[in-house]
Amino acid sequence: MEKKIYLDNAATTKTRPEVVEAMLPYFTEKFGNPSSIYEFASQNKKAVDEARGIIAKALGAEISEIYFTGGGTESDNWALKATADAYASKGNHIITSKIEHHAILHTCEYLEKHGYEVTYVDVNENGIIKLDQLKKAIRPTTILISIMFANNEIGTIQPIKEIGQIAKEHNILFHTDAVQAFGQLPIDVNEMGIDLLSASAHKLHGPKGIGCLYIRKGAKLRSLIHGGAQERQRRAGTENVPGIVGFGKAVEIALETMEERKEKQIQLRERLIKRVMAEVPYTRVNGDRMKRLPNNVNFSFQFIEGESLLIMLDMNNICASSGSACTSGSLDPSHVLLAIGLPHEIAHGSLRITLSDENTEEEIDYTVDKIKEIVNKLRQMSPLYEDYLRGSRQK
Amino acid sequence: MYTEKVMDHFSNPRNMGEIENASGVGTVGNAKCGDIMRMYLDIDENGVIKDCKFKTFGCGAAVATSSMATELVKGKTVQEALQVTNKTVMEALDGLPPVKVHCSLLAEEAIHAALWDYAEKNNIKIEGLSKPKEDIHEEEKEPEY
């Protein structure tokens, strides 16, 4: 196929044309700083608050509870570090899971180096958090539970409401990294008992470099970025007005189209899974089959390595991603795939495909044909496959 | 990320396959780290490598280094093949990204392991060849955050 087939929407998404259009004036004639006194600039404050209102509504939150940040990673860092700081007199214990994004895991490791204690709760074979283990991990010194809404690699959706309830019963703050879920799944912070929530614009067809943190009214939280009085004195720095406006527009469209996108993506997802499982032997689907993001598929192909597969897909104009070690620059494969119990060699042979509403059946069919061809080629090259065949011949 | 030569050897690997009744076979690496390389050597009575084939489970660089290594040792004597180091393989490929240097080490080890197997089968000693390491990754360290 001449055209590029983009199947890596969990990495980032294409900014929608309507979003770009909404942003453009804020680069040109409406360039003013929202904190300035004169009319043309102070109007930008309205634009910022309009976007804030859209996002607040999307989460069932108050407008004053949304704080713009530089993206999902900053939101995660802020939620963890500042809670740890603000509640240090209450305790020094944080509970999270083994399958969080590195923005959470590496921040937890940083906090551990600074005297905090972190429990990393296990997940089951489908990537769903073990609630009994989570409950048992709670101590009198626990100040925060941080569990992602939906996993970025295997798409598993966590029992957020139940976790929110557990946190509330024990009077512990509950943070969720909803970077992959926001815009794809309905979220209500009150109904789900969420106190802090991270979101990012570029995962939902908005621009890069802009995100937000929802902070429940009453939650103590220190600043992470110090300076001016922006964002109710909690997050300093001149507002990224075009980014914020784009974020608002992207969320507005995401909410309007959520149901129809969900339906289309699930249909494509199931077609992809059905064909690959039928046509490529020694393959498994990672993650929960039902409690799963509508756009996520994660396969493991036995006897092959993921990076080779990705490069060959790229040669055929297909963009996807992998939990292979080689793509991350470390020798260990994805911590998520290891946490759901995959042996190393199978975790190395994984492929993540994440759809958008722009993908077509034709693209999916072409991709399946190519996967089939490439996996077969790589298996012919694999000493593991050779050993496997020899072993089954001897049996 | 990869040079043209690496991409060429990855997409059109030379000497991929098996040799029946090979003079020496060596397998190195482990699945845990995501790469396993197997080299087959066909060595004649004069100690010349007549044929060399490989099979590799691994990333693009692992496939390319195996392919290049087979080309570099083919037609050489056992002693000459010993001179093919990971550096030779890397240079022949116009370089590798830093995180992939271990793949070229794997290629060197795979040749040595196959030569070791050949020496053991024929009860000979090859000057300068030592027993291959069990795990070539044992000395590598994970980066710190």
Side-chain angles (χ1 to χ4, degrees):
Chain A
M1 221 176 250
E2 286 290 307
K3 211 183 100 212
K4 179 175 81 240
I5 301 178
Y6 188 73
L7 302 173
D8 200 15
N9 286 278
T12 194
T13 56
K14 184 163 110 188
T15 313
R16 286 193 197 281
E18 303 95 304
V19 171
V20 175
E21 205 180 310
M23 291 170 73
L24 283 176
Y26 294 92
F27 289 105
T28 51
E29 69 266 30
K30 298 182 180 179
F31 65 88
N33 186 327
S35 303
S36 301
I37 198 92
Y38 33 84
E39 175 67 14
F40 105 91
S42 60
Q43 271 184 4
N44 284 357
K45 223 180 185 85
K46 272 188 214 148
V48 167
D49 283 332
E50 231 175 82
R52 201 190 307 279
I54 293 168
I55 293 161
K57 202 175 151 214
L59 293 169
E62 299 284 320
I63 190 165
S64 58
E65 295 174 316
I66 305 297
Y67 297 85
F68 289 112
T69 66
T73 295
E74 186 192 322
S75 300
D76 283 345
N77 269 265
W78 188 12
L80 263 56
K81 288 177 186 164
T83 304
D85 188 19
Y87 288 85
S89 60
K90 187 196 167 198
N92 68 340
H93 181 235
I94 292 167
I95 299 172
T96 185
S97 84
K98 286 197 172 142
I99 62 163
E100 299 298 309
H101 190 273
H102 283 134
I104 295 289
L105 290 179
H106 288 165
T107 306
C108 283
E109 282 166 29
Y110 168 85
L111 288 170
E112 282 181 291
K113 281 184 190 154
H114 288 80
Y116 290 88
E117 287 170 11
V118 183
T119 304
Y120 301 89
V121 176
D122 288 315
V123 294
N124 72 10
E125 69 280 4
N126 292 335
I128 293 179
I129 187 133
K130 293 187 173 167
L131 287 179
D132 51 332
Q133 210 184 88
L134 176 104
K135 280 185 209 158
K136 279 186 200 139
I138 295 171
R139 308 174 191 169
T141 53
T142 307
I143 51 175
L144 180 71
I145 296 174
S146 178
I147 304 289
M148 70 201 323
F149 205 110
N151 185 267
N152 48 311
E153 289 188 39
I154 55 175
T156 303
I157 301 166
Q158 300 299 339
I160 292 299
K161 202 174 163 179
E162 281 88 333
I163 300 168
Q165 214 151 13
I166 295 167
K168 204 168 186 184
E169 278 163 23
H170 293 85
N171 201 21
I172 299 165
L173 285 183
F174 174 36
H175 167 254
T176 187
D177 172 346
V179 165
Q180 294 293 338
F182 188 41
Q184 286 215 69
L185 303 172
I187 300 178
D188 188 310
V189 289
N190 293 318
E191 201 196 310
M192 295 171 167
I194 298 165
D195 299 306
L196 299 152
L197 178 145
S198 305
S200 170
H202 77 102
K203 307 286 191 190
L204 45 93
H205 302 280
K208 292 167 186 64
I210 185 77
C212 72
L213 182 64
Y214 156 79
I215 309 174
R216 180 177 293 282
K217 208 184 224 162
K220 273 198 283 180
L221 202 79
R222 304 272 157 83
S223 294
L224 183 69
I225 310 285
H226 298 92
Q230 293 87 354
E231 299 297 288
R232 297 159 61 89
Q233 303 192 18
R234 283 184 140 174
R235 202 280 189 182
T238 298
E239 296 87 344
N240 173 358
V241 181
I244 290 169
V245 169
F247 191 5
K249 189 72 191 169
V251 170
E252 188 184 295
I253 298 171
L255 282 194
E256 279 168 10
T257 58
M258 194 184 282
E259 270 311 304
E260 110 201 36
R261 273 187 301 132
K262 184 180 153 192
E263 215 169 286
K264 185 179 178 197
Q265 288 174 358
I266 288 181
Q267 198 192 333
L268 290 178
R269 181 188 78 185
E270 293 308 307
R271 184 185 182 94
L272 176 64
I273 292 177
K274 206 175 147 195
R275 274 202 61 192
V276 167
M277 293 309 285
E279 296 173 38
V280 186
Y282 314 114
T283 302
R284 56 166 283 155
V285 177
N286 300 313
D288 199 281
R289 284 301 317 269
M290 302 309 291
K291 290 169 192 147
R292 175 177 212 110
L293 287 174
N295 74 337
N296 172 289
V297 184
N298 190 304
F299 294 114
S300 279
F301 301 105
Q302 238 180 305
F303 316 118
I304 67 158
E305 200 278 331
E307 192 210 72
S308 296
L309 174 58
L310 286 189
I311 300 174
M312 288 191 179
L313 284 172
D314 183 32
M315 289 171 177
N316 288 285
N317 276 330
I318 300 168
C319 311
S321 133
S322 153
S324 143
C326 282
T327 53
S328 65
S330 123
L331 289 176
D332 276 330
S334 143
H335 64 284
V336 177
L337 298 178
L338 295 181
I340 61 169
L342 291 195
H344 274 76
E345 64 267 32
I346 294 180
H348 278 295
S350 73
L351 173 71
R352 180 186 74 179
I353 288 179
T354 42
L355 310 165
S356 82
D357 58 341
E358 287 192 0
N359 293 124
T360 62
E361 258 179 31
E362 194 196 356
E363 288 179 338
I364 295 300
D365 285 342
Y366 174 80
T367 302
V368 176
D369 292 344
K370 287 295 159 190
I371 288 175
K372 215 167 121 181
E373 197 182 298
I374 294 166
V375 168
N376 187 42
K377 186 175 172 188
L378 289 172
R379 280 182 178 159
Q380 295 311 315
M381 216 186 269
S382 167
L384 291 176
Y385 190 54
E386 180 189 317
D387 291 348
Y388 172 81
L389 292 180
R390 193 162 290 156
S392 38
R393 270 204 299 270
Q394 276 162 3
K395 264 175 211 165
Chain B
M1 163 174 157
Y2 290 133
T3 66
E4 259 176 53
K5 273 202 184 150
V6 172
M7 286 306 286
D8 176 32
H9 276 262
F10 171 70
S11 17
N12 309 295
R14 330 291 201 257
N15 307 310
M16 198 278 289
E18 302 165 42
I19 297 176
E20 291 277 328
N21 306 314
S23 319
V25 184
T27 305
V28 295
N30 66 50
K32 193 169 178 276
C33 298
D35 33 36
I36 299 175
M37 236 176 242
R38 182 170 293 163
M39 288 278 179
Y40 298 83
L41 298 175
D42 180 16
I43 302 170
D44 69 11
E45 60 283 2
N46 303 317
V48 174
I49 298 170
K50 279 176 18 201
D51 199 8
C52 176
K53 288 209 185 299
F54 81 92
K55 280 214 172 172
T56 290
F57 161 85
C59 60
V63 173
T65 50
S66 331
S67 165
M68 182 53 91
T70 60
E71 286 224 305
L72 288 170
V73 300
K74 229 173 157 176
K76 296 229 164 87
T77 65
V78 167
Q79 270 308 324
E80 284 167 345
L82 265 185
Q83 306 308 313
V84 176
T85 64
N86 82 300
K87 246 185 112 182
T88 327
V89 176
M90 261 193 352
E91 277 164 12
L93 288 168
D94 294 337
L96 286 173
V99 292
K100 304 290 187 182
V101 172
H102 72 101
C103 294
S104 62
L105 281 167
L106 207 59
E108 179 189 318
E109 290 287 334
I111 297 168
H112 289 188
L115 287 172
W116 183 264
D117 182 49
Y118 160 74
E120 287 222 307
K121 274 180 184 161
N122 293 282
N123 240 331
I124 52 170
K125 198 179 174 313
I126 300 172
E127 192 86 21
L129 180 69
S130 49
K131 195 174 191 300
K133 267 184 275 176
E134 287 286 313
D135 180 355
I136 68 132
H137 294 297
E138 61 196 4
E139 283 158 25
E140 288 188 31
K141 270 192 188 156
E142 285 289 304
E144 264 199 50
Y145 296 99

